[in-house]
Amino acid sequence: MARRQGRSRPEPRWSEPPPGLFPAGIDDLLRLLAVLAIAAAVAAACSVLNRRPAPFCDSDDPYSAYDSCEPCPENGRCVDGELRCVEGFKKRGRACVEDGLLTHTANKIAELLQHRICDEHARVLCGQPGMILFQQHDISSMADDLLSKDAARLSDDGIKVVKERVLQSAHGFLETTSTYDNVQAFKCPELAAELHRPLSCQARQWISSNIIFVITFCLLSAALLRILWSIYQRRALSKRAEQIYEQVCEILEDNAISAKAGNSECEPWVVTSWLRDHLLSTRERRNTLLWKKVEELLLEDSRIDQYPKVIKGEAKVVLEWQASGSLSGKIKKMQGAAGKTRSGSVGAIKLAEEICGSSIISSRDKEHCSSTSKEATNPFM
Protein backbone atom coordinates (compact mmCIF):
# COMPACT_ATOMS: atom_id res chain seq x y z
CA MET A 1 0.00 0.00 0.00
CA ALA A 2 2.72 2.31 0.82
CA ARG A 3 4.49 1.53 -2.46
CA ARG A 4 1.30 2.33 -4.45
CA GLN A 5 0.81 5.52 -2.59
CA GLY A 6 4.38 6.55 -3.28
CA ARG A 7 4.00 6.48 -7.10
CA SER A 8 3.13 9.84 -8.83
CA ARG A 9 0.51 10.31 -11.66
CA PRO A 10 2.15 10.49 -15.13
CA GLU A 11 1.83 13.82 -16.98
CA PRO A 12 -0.22 13.91 -20.31
CA ARG A 13 1.80 13.86 -23.62
CA TRP A 14 -0.26 16.76 -25.30
CA SER A 15 -0.67 19.96 -23.57
CA GLU A 16 -3.86 22.03 -23.82
CA PRO A 17 -4.04 24.68 -26.63
CA PRO A 18 -3.26 28.13 -25.52
CA PRO A 19 -6.18 30.37 -25.01
CA GLY A 20 -7.14 32.62 -28.03
CA LEU A 21 -6.18 30.03 -30.70
CA PHE A 22 -9.76 29.42 -31.83
CA PRO A 23 -12.21 32.22 -32.43
CA ALA A 24 -13.91 33.05 -29.29
CA GLY A 25 -16.82 34.90 -30.89
CA ILE A 26 -18.68 35.56 -34.13
CA ASP A 27 -16.43 38.48 -35.07
CA ASP A 28 -13.29 36.34 -34.92
CA LEU A 29 -15.00 33.69 -37.06
CA LEU A 30 -15.88 36.23 -39.79
CA ARG A 31 -12.30 37.54 -39.85
CA LEU A 32 -11.01 34.00 -40.29
CA LEU A 33 -13.36 33.30 -43.20
CA ALA A 34 -12.36 36.54 -44.93
CA VAL A 35 -8.65 35.68 -44.67
CA LEU A 36 -9.26 32.22 -46.09
CA ALA A 37 -11.30 33.62 -49.03
CA ILE A 38 -8.57 36.13 -49.92
CA ALA A 39 -5.93 33.44 -49.81
CA ALA A 40 -7.96 31.15 -52.09
CA ALA A 41 -8.51 33.96 -54.63
CA VAL A 42 -4.82 34.81 -54.71
CA ALA A 43 -3.92 31.16 -55.24
CA ALA A 44 -6.43 30.80 -58.11
CA ALA A 45 -5.17 33.96 -59.84
CA CYS A 46 -1.58 32.82 -59.63
CA SER A 47 -2.45 29.45 -61.11
CA VAL A 48 -4.30 31.10 -64.05
CA LEU A 49 -1.51 33.56 -64.77
CA ASN A 50 1.18 30.96 -64.62
CA ARG A 51 -0.72 28.52 -66.87
CA ARG A 52 0.44 28.61 -70.50
CA PRO A 53 -2.04 27.86 -73.34
CA ALA A 54 -1.70 24.51 -74.99
CA PRO A 55 0.20 24.64 -78.27
CA PHE A 56 -1.49 23.96 -81.58
CA CYS A 57 -1.13 20.57 -83.17
CA ASP A 58 0.90 20.59 -86.37
CA SER A 59 -1.18 20.60 -89.54
CA ASP A 60 1.16 18.08 -91.20
CA ASP A 61 0.73 15.55 -88.37
CA PRO A 62 -2.85 14.24 -88.48
CA TYR A 63 -2.10 11.70 -85.72
CA SER A 64 -1.24 14.21 -83.06
CA ALA A 65 -2.68 13.54 -79.63
CA TYR A 66 -5.22 16.25 -78.78
CA ASP A 67 -4.54 15.76 -75.07
CA SER A 68 -1.22 17.54 -75.26
CA CYS A 69 -2.10 20.13 -78.01
CA GLU A 70 -5.05 22.09 -79.37
CA PRO A 71 -6.39 21.29 -82.88
CA CYS A 72 -5.36 23.76 -85.59
CA PRO A 73 -8.34 26.08 -86.34
CA GLU A 74 -10.03 26.27 -89.72
CA ASN A 75 -8.41 28.41 -92.44
CA GLY A 76 -5.11 28.23 -90.53
CA ARG A 77 -1.83 26.34 -90.75
CA CYS A 78 0.01 25.33 -87.58
CA VAL A 79 3.74 24.64 -87.47
CA ASP A 80 5.68 24.00 -84.24
CA GLY A 81 2.64 24.91 -82.18
CA GLU A 82 2.22 28.36 -83.81
CA LEU A 83 -0.85 29.44 -85.83
CA ARG A 84 -0.54 31.08 -89.24
CA CYS A 85 -3.66 32.04 -91.18
CA VAL A 86 -3.89 31.37 -94.91
CA GLU A 87 -4.17 34.23 -97.40
CA GLY A 88 -7.48 36.03 -97.19
CA PHE A 89 -7.83 35.47 -93.43
CA LYS A 90 -6.53 37.36 -90.41
CA LYS A 91 -5.55 36.06 -87.00
CA ARG A 92 -7.87 37.13 -84.24
CA GLY A 93 -7.06 35.54 -80.89
CA ARG A 94 -6.71 31.80 -81.44
CA ALA A 95 -8.86 31.73 -84.62
CA CYS A 96 -8.64 32.87 -88.29
CA VAL A 97 -11.36 35.23 -89.55
CA GLU A 98 -12.01 36.34 -93.11
CA ASP A 99 -10.37 39.52 -94.38
CA GLY A 100 -13.17 41.96 -95.28
CA LEU A 101 -11.07 43.98 -97.76
CA LEU A 102 -10.20 40.96 -99.87
CA THR A 103 -13.80 39.75 -99.87
CA HIS A 104 -15.18 43.13 -100.90
CA THR A 105 -12.59 43.50 -103.66
CA ALA A 106 -13.20 39.98 -104.96
CA ASN A 107 -16.98 40.50 -105.11
CA LYS A 108 -16.56 43.83 -106.88
CA ILE A 109 -14.12 42.49 -109.50
CA ALA A 110 -16.29 39.39 -110.09
CA GLU A 111 -19.33 41.59 -110.73
CA LEU A 112 -17.42 43.82 -113.17
CA LEU A 113 -16.08 40.76 -114.97
CA GLN A 114 -19.56 39.32 -115.37
CA HIS A 115 -20.86 42.65 -116.71
CA ARG A 116 -18.05 42.88 -119.26
CA ILE A 117 -18.59 39.34 -120.58
CA CYS A 118 -22.39 39.74 -120.75
CA ASP A 119 -22.09 43.16 -122.43
CA GLU A 120 -20.02 41.58 -125.21
CA HIS A 121 -22.68 38.91 -125.69
CA ALA A 122 -25.44 41.56 -125.68
CA ARG A 123 -23.66 43.51 -128.44
CA VAL A 124 -23.77 40.42 -130.65
CA LEU A 125 -27.50 39.99 -129.93
CA CYS A 126 -28.05 43.59 -131.06
CA GLY A 127 -26.18 43.04 -134.34
CA GLN A 128 -23.00 44.81 -133.27
CA PRO A 129 -19.44 43.42 -133.20
CA GLY A 130 -18.65 41.49 -130.03
CA MET A 131 -17.66 38.11 -128.54
CA ILE A 132 -19.74 35.26 -127.17
CA LEU A 133 -17.22 32.54 -126.27
CA PHE A 134 -14.30 33.25 -123.92
CA GLN A 135 -11.48 30.88 -123.11
CA GLN A 136 -9.71 30.57 -119.78
CA HIS A 137 -6.85 32.89 -120.69
CA ASP A 138 -9.31 35.56 -121.93
CA ILE A 139 -11.11 35.58 -118.58
CA SER A 140 -7.79 35.61 -116.70
CA SER A 141 -6.59 38.58 -118.77
CA MET A 142 -9.78 40.55 -118.10
CA ALA A 143 -9.49 39.78 -114.38
CA ASP A 144 -5.88 41.04 -114.37
CA ASP A 145 -6.98 44.21 -116.17
CA LEU A 146 -9.72 44.89 -113.63
CA LEU A 147 -7.43 44.11 -110.69
CA SER A 148 -4.80 46.53 -111.97
CA LYS A 149 -7.34 49.35 -111.64
CA ASP A 150 -8.45 48.47 -108.10
CA ALA A 151 -5.53 46.86 -106.27
CA ALA A 152 -3.85 49.84 -104.59
CA ARG A 153 -4.39 48.58 -101.01
CA LEU A 154 -3.68 44.89 -101.66
CA SER A 155 -0.42 43.02 -101.38
CA ASP A 156 0.82 40.61 -104.00
CA ASP A 157 -0.45 37.64 -102.01
CA GLY A 158 -3.80 39.40 -101.56
CA ILE A 159 -4.08 40.00 -105.31
CA LYS A 160 -3.50 36.29 -105.94
CA VAL A 161 -6.23 35.36 -103.48
CA VAL A 162 -8.65 37.89 -104.99
CA LYS A 163 -7.96 36.65 -108.52
CA GLU A 164 -8.51 33.05 -107.47
CA ARG A 165 -11.87 33.95 -105.93
CA VAL A 166 -12.86 35.99 -109.00
CA LEU A 167 -12.13 33.08 -111.32
CA GLN A 168 -14.06 30.71 -109.08
CA SER A 169 -17.05 33.06 -109.08
CA ALA A 170 -16.86 33.49 -112.88
CA HIS A 171 -16.77 29.73 -113.45
CA GLY A 172 -19.83 29.34 -111.25
CA PHE A 173 -21.76 32.04 -113.12
CA LEU A 174 -20.77 31.42 -116.74
CA GLU A 175 -21.96 28.56 -118.88
CA THR A 176 -19.39 26.03 -120.06
CA THR A 177 -19.29 24.95 -123.69
CA SER A 178 -16.82 23.74 -126.31
CA THR A 179 -15.53 25.33 -129.49
CA TYR A 180 -15.29 23.64 -132.88
CA ASP A 181 -11.82 22.30 -132.00
CA ASN A 182 -13.02 20.87 -128.64
CA VAL A 183 -11.49 23.66 -126.54
CA GLN A 184 -13.32 24.53 -123.34
CA ALA A 185 -14.92 27.95 -123.46
CA PHE A 186 -17.25 30.01 -121.33
CA LYS A 187 -20.16 32.29 -122.23
CA CYS A 188 -22.74 34.46 -120.53
CA PRO A 189 -26.16 32.83 -120.01
CA GLU A 190 -28.72 33.83 -122.65
CA LEU A 191 -31.14 35.34 -120.14
CA ALA A 192 -28.45 37.47 -118.52
CA ALA A 193 -27.18 38.59 -121.95
CA GLU A 194 -30.69 39.69 -122.98
CA LEU A 195 -30.99 41.75 -119.81
CA HIS A 196 -27.73 43.55 -120.66
CA ARG A 197 -29.06 44.82 -124.01
CA PRO A 198 -29.50 48.63 -124.23
CA LEU A 199 -33.03 49.99 -124.13
CA SER A 200 -32.78 51.20 -127.73
CA CYS A 201 -31.85 47.70 -128.88
CA GLN A 202 -34.67 46.13 -126.88
CA ALA A 203 -37.20 48.60 -128.30
CA ARG A 204 -35.98 48.05 -131.86
CA GLN A 205 -36.15 44.27 -131.57
CA TRP A 206 -39.58 44.41 -129.94
CA ILE A 207 -40.93 46.61 -132.71
CA SER A 208 -39.51 44.34 -135.41
CA SER A 209 -41.10 41.28 -133.79
CA ASN A 210 -44.48 43.04 -133.36
CA ILE A 211 -44.50 45.15 -136.52
CA ILE A 212 -48.15 44.39 -137.41
CA PHE A 213 -49.38 45.44 -133.99
CA VAL A 214 -47.23 48.58 -134.03
CA ILE A 215 -48.50 49.66 -137.48
CA THR A 216 -52.11 49.04 -136.48
CA PHE A 217 -51.67 50.99 -133.26
CA CYS A 218 -50.02 53.91 -135.06
CA LEU A 219 -52.78 54.10 -137.67
CA LEU A 220 -55.52 53.99 -135.07
CA SER A 221 -53.73 56.61 -132.96
CA ALA A 222 -53.27 58.89 -135.97
CA ALA A 223 -56.93 58.50 -136.94
CA LEU A 224 -58.05 59.23 -133.38
CA LEU A 225 -55.84 62.31 -133.17
CA ARG A 226 -57.14 63.52 -136.52
CA ILE A 227 -60.73 63.13 -135.35
CA LEU A 228 -60.04 64.88 -132.05
CA TRP A 229 -58.21 67.71 -133.83
CA SER A 230 -61.07 68.18 -136.31
CA ILE A 231 -63.58 68.27 -133.45
CA TYR A 232 -61.45 70.85 -131.66
CA GLN A 233 -61.15 72.97 -134.80
CA ARG A 234 -64.89 72.85 -135.42
CA ARG A 235 -65.65 73.92 -131.88
CA ALA A 236 -63.09 76.71 -132.04
CA LEU A 237 -64.46 77.81 -135.43
CA SER A 238 -68.03 77.84 -134.16
CA LYS A 239 -67.07 79.75 -131.04
CA ARG A 240 -65.13 82.36 -133.01
CA ALA A 241 -67.94 82.66 -135.57
CA GLU A 242 -70.45 83.34 -132.79
CA GLN A 243 -68.19 86.05 -131.37
CA ILE A 244 -67.89 87.74 -134.77
CA TYR A 245 -71.63 87.38 -135.32
CA GLU A 246 -72.36 89.18 -132.03
CA GLN A 247 -69.95 91.97 -133.00
CA VAL A 248 -71.63 92.32 -136.41
CA CYS A 249 -75.03 92.58 -134.77
CA GLU A 250 -73.79 95.26 -132.40
CA ILE A 251 -72.18 97.22 -135.24
CA LEU A 252 -75.34 97.06 -137.36
CA GLU A 253 -77.48 98.13 -134.42
CA ASP A 254 -75.23 101.10 -133.59
CA ASN A 255 -75.14 102.09 -137.25
CA ALA A 256 -78.94 101.91 -137.49
CA ILE A 257 -79.34 104.06 -134.38
CA SER A 258 -76.88 106.61 -135.75
CA ALA A 259 -78.70 106.69 -139.10
CA LYS A 260 -82.04 107.36 -137.39
CA ALA A 261 -80.70 110.38 -135.58
CA GLY A 262 -82.23 113.70 -136.48
CA ASN A 263 -79.37 115.45 -138.33
CA SER A 264 -77.41 112.34 -139.24
CA GLU A 265 -76.44 111.69 -142.84
CA CYS A 266 -75.32 108.06 -142.15
CA GLU A 267 -76.65 105.25 -144.25
CA PRO A 268 -78.49 102.47 -142.38
CA TRP A 269 -76.65 99.71 -144.26
CA VAL A 270 -73.09 98.41 -143.93
CA VAL A 271 -71.04 96.71 -146.63
CA THR A 272 -70.35 93.07 -145.79
CA SER A 273 -66.76 93.10 -147.03
CA TRP A 274 -65.99 96.09 -144.82
CA LEU A 275 -67.17 94.21 -141.76
CA ARG A 276 -65.19 91.14 -142.73
CA ASP A 277 -61.94 93.02 -143.26
CA HIS A 278 -62.39 94.95 -140.02
CA LEU A 279 -63.32 92.07 -137.72
CA LEU A 280 -61.05 89.33 -139.05
CA SER A 281 -57.30 89.24 -138.65
CA THR A 282 -54.98 88.52 -141.55
CA ARG A 283 -54.66 84.86 -140.54
CA GLU A 284 -58.40 84.46 -140.06
CA ARG A 285 -59.11 85.89 -143.53
CA ARG A 286 -57.33 82.92 -145.07
CA ASN A 287 -59.82 80.61 -143.41
CA THR A 288 -62.84 80.93 -145.70
CA LEU A 289 -64.92 78.62 -143.53
CA LEU A 290 -64.93 81.15 -140.69
CA TRP A 291 -66.69 83.93 -142.61
CA LYS A 292 -69.01 81.41 -144.26
CA LYS A 293 -70.08 80.32 -140.78
CA VAL A 294 -70.68 83.96 -139.85
CA GLU A 295 -72.75 84.48 -143.03
CA GLU A 296 -74.85 81.44 -142.17
CA LEU A 297 -75.60 82.92 -138.75
CA LEU A 298 -76.47 86.27 -140.34
CA LEU A 299 -78.84 84.64 -142.86
CA GLU A 300 -80.62 82.81 -140.04
CA ASP A 301 -81.15 86.11 -138.17
CA SER A 302 -84.50 87.66 -139.15
CA ARG A 303 -83.51 91.07 -137.78
CA ILE A 304 -80.86 91.56 -140.47
CA ASP A 305 -81.55 92.15 -144.16
CA GLN A 306 -78.96 91.29 -146.77
CA TYR A 307 -79.25 92.65 -150.29
CA PRO A 308 -76.98 93.81 -153.14
CA LYS A 309 -76.17 97.46 -153.74
CA VAL A 310 -74.02 99.35 -156.24
CA ILE A 311 -71.46 101.53 -154.50
CA LYS A 312 -69.01 103.62 -156.54
CA GLY A 313 -69.80 101.61 -159.59
CA GLU A 314 -69.17 98.23 -157.92
CA ALA A 315 -71.73 95.68 -156.85
CA LYS A 316 -71.59 95.13 -153.12
CA VAL A 317 -73.57 93.10 -150.62
CA VAL A 318 -74.81 95.17 -147.71
CA LEU A 319 -76.35 94.38 -144.34
CA GLU A 320 -79.02 96.45 -142.66
CA TRP A 321 -80.49 96.22 -139.20
CA GLN A 322 -84.29 96.06 -139.30
CA ALA A 323 -85.23 95.36 -135.69
CA SER A 324 -86.42 98.04 -133.37
CA GLY A 325 -85.07 98.37 -129.88
CA SER A 326 -81.65 97.93 -128.42
CA LEU A 327 -79.60 94.72 -128.50
CA SER A 328 -76.49 95.99 -126.76
CA GLY A 329 -77.74 95.14 -123.30
CA LYS A 330 -78.50 91.57 -124.30
CA ILE A 331 -75.11 91.11 -125.91
CA LYS A 332 -73.37 92.46 -122.87
CA LYS A 333 -75.16 89.96 -120.67
CA MET A 334 -74.23 87.12 -123.01
CA GLN A 335 -70.55 88.05 -123.05
CA GLY A 336 -70.36 88.10 -119.23
CA ALA A 337 -67.09 90.02 -119.05
CA ALA A 338 -67.39 93.74 -118.56
CA GLY A 339 -63.93 94.57 -119.89
CA LYS A 340 -64.34 92.57 -123.07
CA THR A 341 -67.81 93.97 -123.60
CA ARG A 342 -66.65 97.57 -123.24
CA SER A 343 -63.76 97.02 -125.64
CA GLY A 344 -66.08 95.33 -128.17
CA SER A 345 -68.65 98.12 -127.81
CA VAL A 346 -66.04 100.81 -128.29
CA GLY A 347 -64.70 99.00 -131.37
CA ALA A 348 -68.20 98.66 -132.75
CA ILE A 349 -68.96 102.35 -132.16
CA LYS A 350 -65.70 103.36 -133.87
CA LEU A 351 -66.44 101.11 -136.82
CA ALA A 352 -69.98 102.47 -137.01
CA GLU A 353 -68.62 106.03 -137.08
CA GLU A 354 -66.14 105.06 -139.80
CA ILE A 355 -68.90 103.42 -141.85
CA CYS A 356 -71.16 106.38 -141.30
CA GLY A 357 -68.42 108.74 -142.46
CA SER A 358 -67.68 106.64 -145.51
CA SER A 359 -71.37 106.45 -146.37
CA ILE A 360 -71.65 110.24 -146.11
CA ILE A 361 -68.68 110.65 -148.41
CA SER A 362 -70.12 108.17 -150.85
CA SER A 363 -73.52 109.94 -150.78
CA ARG A 364 -71.82 113.30 -151.36
CA ASP A 365 -69.92 111.83 -154.28
CA LYS A 366 -73.18 110.49 -155.66
CA GLU A 367 -74.84 113.92 -155.32
CA HIS A 368 -71.85 115.57 -156.90
CA CYS A 369 -71.95 113.16 -159.80
CA SER A 370 -75.68 113.64 -160.26
CA SER A 371 -75.32 117.44 -160.21
CA THR A 372 -72.47 117.25 -162.68
CA SER A 373 -74.53 115.10 -165.00
CA LYS A 374 -77.43 117.53 -164.76
CA GLU A 375 -75.18 120.47 -165.64
CA ALA A 376 -73.85 118.50 -168.58
CA THR A 377 -77.37 117.79 -169.85
CA ASN A 378 -78.57 121.41 -169.22
CA PRO A 379 -75.66 123.69 -170.10
CA PHE A 380 -77.90 126.81 -170.16
CA MET A 381 -79.06 126.59 -166.58
Side-chain angles (χ1 to χ4, degrees), residues 243-269:
Q243 293 177 354
I244 297 174
Y245 162 73
E246 293 175 359
Q247 294 179 4
V248 170
C249 292
E250 189 171 357
I251 291 172
L252 294 177
E253 180 190 7
D254 293 339
N255 187 70
I257 294 174
S258 299
K260 291 179 181 180
N263 298 325
S264 176
E265 297 180 358
C266 297
E267 296 291 342
W269 43 264

Side-chain angles (χ1 to χ4, degrees), residues 55-66 68-73 76-83:
F56 291 104
C57 301
D58 291 346
S59 302
D60 297 334
D61 188 5
Y63 302 102
S64 299
Y66 290 158
S68 60
C69 61
E70 185 177 348
C72 190
R77 182 173 177 80
C78 300
V79 178
D80 297 333
E82 297 293 335
L83 172 62

Side-chain angles (χ1 to χ4, degrees), residues 144-347:
D144 292 336
D145 183 31
L146 294 173
L147 280 171
S148 63
K149 300 177 181 178
D150 194 8
R153 297 178 294 174
L154 299 179
S155 61
D156 295 338
D157 295 336
I159 293 175
K160 293 180 181 179
V161 173
V162 170
K163 182 179 179 180
E164 182 180 356
R165 293 184 181 181
V166 169
L167 294 179
Q168 291 178 357
S169 177
H171 292 163
F173 172 77
L174 301 175
E175 293 182 355
T176 305
T177 184
S178 300
T179 60
Y180 63 91
D181 52 355
N182 295 327
V183 177
Q184 187 181 21
F186 303 91
K187 70 173 185 177
C188 179
E190 293 291 337
L191 181 60
E194 291 179 357
L195 295 177
H196 280 76
R197 293 175 301 168
L199 292 178
S200 59
C201 175
Q202 296 182 21
R204 185 174 64 253
Q205 291 182 352
W206 184 87
I207 292 174
S208 62
S209 60
N210 300 275
I211 187 65
I212 298 177
F213 171 77
V214 173
I215 293 176
T216 305
F217 178 78
C218 292
L219 292 177
L220 293 177
S221 300
L224 179 62
L225 292 176
R226 183 66 180 271
I227 293 172
L228 294 177
W229 178 249
S230 61
I231 293 174
Y232 170 76
Q233 284 187 329
R234 289 178 182 177
R235 290 184 177 180
L237 183 67
S238 301
K239 184 177 180 180
R240 178 58 178 159
E242 291 176 359
Q243 293 177 354
I244 297 174
Y245 162 73
E246 293 175 359
Q247 294 179 4
V248 170
C249 292
E250 189 171 357
I251 291 172
L252 294 177
E253 180 190 7
D254 293 339
N255 187 70
I257 294 174
S258 299
K260 291 179 181 180
N263 298 325
S264 176
E265 297 180 358
C266 297
E267 296 291 342
W269 43 264
V270 179
V271 180
T272 305
S273 59
W274 296 353
L275 290 174
R276 180 194 62 197
D277 296 340
H278 178 78
L279 296 177
L280 299 184
S281 62
T282 304
R283 182 176 57 84
E284 291 177 339
R285 293 173 192 172
R286 301 172 184 173
N287 189 1
T288 57
L289 296 177
L290 177 59
W291 188 248
K292 288 182 179 180
K293 185 68 176 178
V294 176
E295 290 180 344
E296 292 177 359
L297 295 175
L298 293 175
L299 290 175
E300 294 174 358
D301 196 340
S302 60
R303 301 166 298 179
I304 300 175
D305 286 344
Q306 184 176 351
Y307 54 89
K309 188 176 185 62
V310 178
I311 300 176
K312 296 182 180 181
E314 296 182 2
K316 302 285 185 179
V317 178
V318 298
L319 300 174
E320 184 176 353
W321 184 263
Q322 298 294 335
S324 59
S326 176
L327 186 65
S328 301
K330 298 180 181 180
I331 295 177
K332 292 177 181 180
K333 291 180 181 180
M334 291 174 61
Q335 289 178 349
K340 294 183 179 179
T341 304
R342 286 194 297 269
S343 62
S345 301
V346 172

